[in-house]
Amino acid sequence: MYQEELKLEIRELLRSRNGVLLAHNYMRDEVQEIADITGDSLALSQEAAKTTAQVIVFCGVHFMAESAAILAPDKTVLLPRLDAGCPMADMITAEGLRSLKARLPGVPVVTYVNSTAAVKAESDICCTSANALKVVDSLPESEIIFAPDRNLGRYVARFSDKKFHFWDGFCPTHERLKPDAVRRLKDEHPDALFLCHPECSPEVVDLADHVCSTTGMYDWCRDSDARRIIIGTEAGILYRLRRENPDKEFILASPALFCPNMKLTSLEDIAASLRSLTPVVTVAEEIRLPARRALERMLAVPRD
Ligand code: 13P
Ligand code: SF4
């Protein structure tokens, strides 16, 4: 009952503050339930760039709220849990990227949005898991630096003629999924298809029937004839998959597919954040402007 009261209070606070609640597809079920928009990193950045709301409550991790602050500097961007970080984003620094660029002069940098604003500011263009190949293909150069996710980079490189220089970052959550766990489940359920996120290791990707972003998974599962689908991404995706496809069975490929940072934000945190209008995420102008260029260049890449 207390949870239901909190949900009502959050909706009322959103109304009175002219706020919009954006939630990533990995958030807790109850947070997804009350969100105005749930989506992958690309959809949430697009929404932040175009919303008319004055307050953006970002239920995700720090780099996502930073992207919203970069794209919508006139809005108040709240991240209810300031400690919700992304270990992959912390695997690269602006200084580290600058020294790689110095070793590869003239080679453009494609940076996954799972990175800090300071790293984006050092990049030519950003990408998400939904548009990475299109972003890479949009560049005229035949060689690129791809940072920080080595797994997404290697996946995109399979379909590209360009020469890739990879940064050695990865998502610890997706790396915990091992090919043996997938093989065991495939043996147990020979009729099941296997769907995974490109943050998984190349050995896991090799076993997949389809590889896509989290929002891509909703579309693919809805359209697929498969009755049983093994899911290789963070557990939060199951909430909507099960609700939207009650006639299909979804099997999480491993109980290790759990991102502790994505699970930090509770309804209590969201209500407290909206009551106090804190914590606010901002980005200093000297970082924001070059980071915005890289993000806007990505958003200008045609989708199809
Ligand atoms: P997408 O939702 O953009 O596929 O990203 C997954 C992810 O790991 C976000 O942190
Ligand atoms: Fe970062 Fe991986 Fe968690 Fe996404 S799932 S926030 S990439 S650690």
Side-chain angles (χ1 to χ4, degrees), residues 24 26 61 63-64 85-89 112 114 170-174 199 234 259-262:
H24 188 265
Y26 294 159
V61 291
F63 74 80
M64 297 180 173
C86 169
M88 186 206 291
Y112 193 25
N114 296 34
F170 59 91
C171 163
T173 299
H174 286 85
E199 288 176 15
E234 210 276 341
C259 173
N261 287 284
M262 283 286 187

Side-chain angles (χ1 to χ4, degrees), residues 46-180:
Q46 287 167 330
E47 196 54 41
K50 71 168 198 234
T51 184
T52 55
Q54 192 43 48
V55 174
I56 299 174
V57 186
F58 218 113
C59 295
V61 291
H62 192 268
F63 74 80
M64 297 180 173
E66 256 188 353
S67 293
I70 292 165
L71 291 166
D74 52 329
K75 317 277 180 196
T76 302
V77 178
L78 300 173
L79 180 66
R81 287 292 295 254
L82 218 42
D83 52 344
C86 169
M88 186 206 291
D90 295 337
M91 288 178 190
I92 183 168
T93 60
E95 200 186 9
L97 183 54
R98 271 195 299 272
S99 53
L100 179 59
K101 280 164 53 173
R103 292 202 298 279
L104 295 165
V107 178
V109 180
V110 179
T111 295
Y112 193 25
V113 288
N114 296 34
S115 52
T116 61
V119 167
K120 289 183 177 79
E122 289 293 331
S123 308
D124 293 276
I125 188 165
C126 289
C127 74
T128 75
S129 59
N131 63 11
L133 181 60
K134 286 200 171 73
V135 165
V136 167
D137 281 347
S138 75
L139 299 173
E141 292 87 351
S142 58
E143 217 172 301
I144 61 158
I145 294 170
F146 194 96
D149 187 2
R150 65 180 183 211
N151 289 338
L152 176 62
R154 292 209 169 93
Y155 176 66
V156 174
R158 293 179 187 211
F159 306 99
S160 172
D161 296 333
K162 297 190 198 294
K163 177 173 179 193
F164 279 57
H165 300 272
F166 302 107
W167 191 270
D168 198 24
F170 59 91
C171 163
T173 299
H174 286 85
E175 283 252 328
R176 283 196 291 274
L177 176 58
K178 302 295 175 206
D180 277 353

Side-chain angles (χ1 to χ4, degrees), residues 188-263:
E188 240 175 83
H189 306 284
D191 60 320
L193 294 183
F194 174 53
L195 182 58
C196 82
H197 195 275
E199 288 176 15
C200 292
S201 69
E203 296 75 21
V204 167
V205 163
D206 284 341
L207 299 170
D209 294 288
H210 188 63
V211 180
C212 60
S213 80
T214 55
T215 291
M217 290 185 181
Y218 298 124
D219 300 338
W220 193 85
C221 289
R222 184 194 57 228
D223 296 342
S224 169
D225 290 334
R227 311 315 295 165
R228 195 175 269 161
I229 302 169
I230 303 166
I231 299 292
T233 197
E234 210 276 341
I237 192 101
L238 295 171
Y239 168 71
R240 243 177 86 191
L241 280 178
R242 288 182 173 145
R243 263 190 17 171
E244 291 177 1
N245 304 276
D247 54 333
K248 295 179 183 169
E249 187 190 346
F250 296 99
I251 304 167
L252 192 66
S254 162
L257 284 165
F258 180 90
C259 173
N261 287 284
M262 283 286 187
K263 295 297 179 281

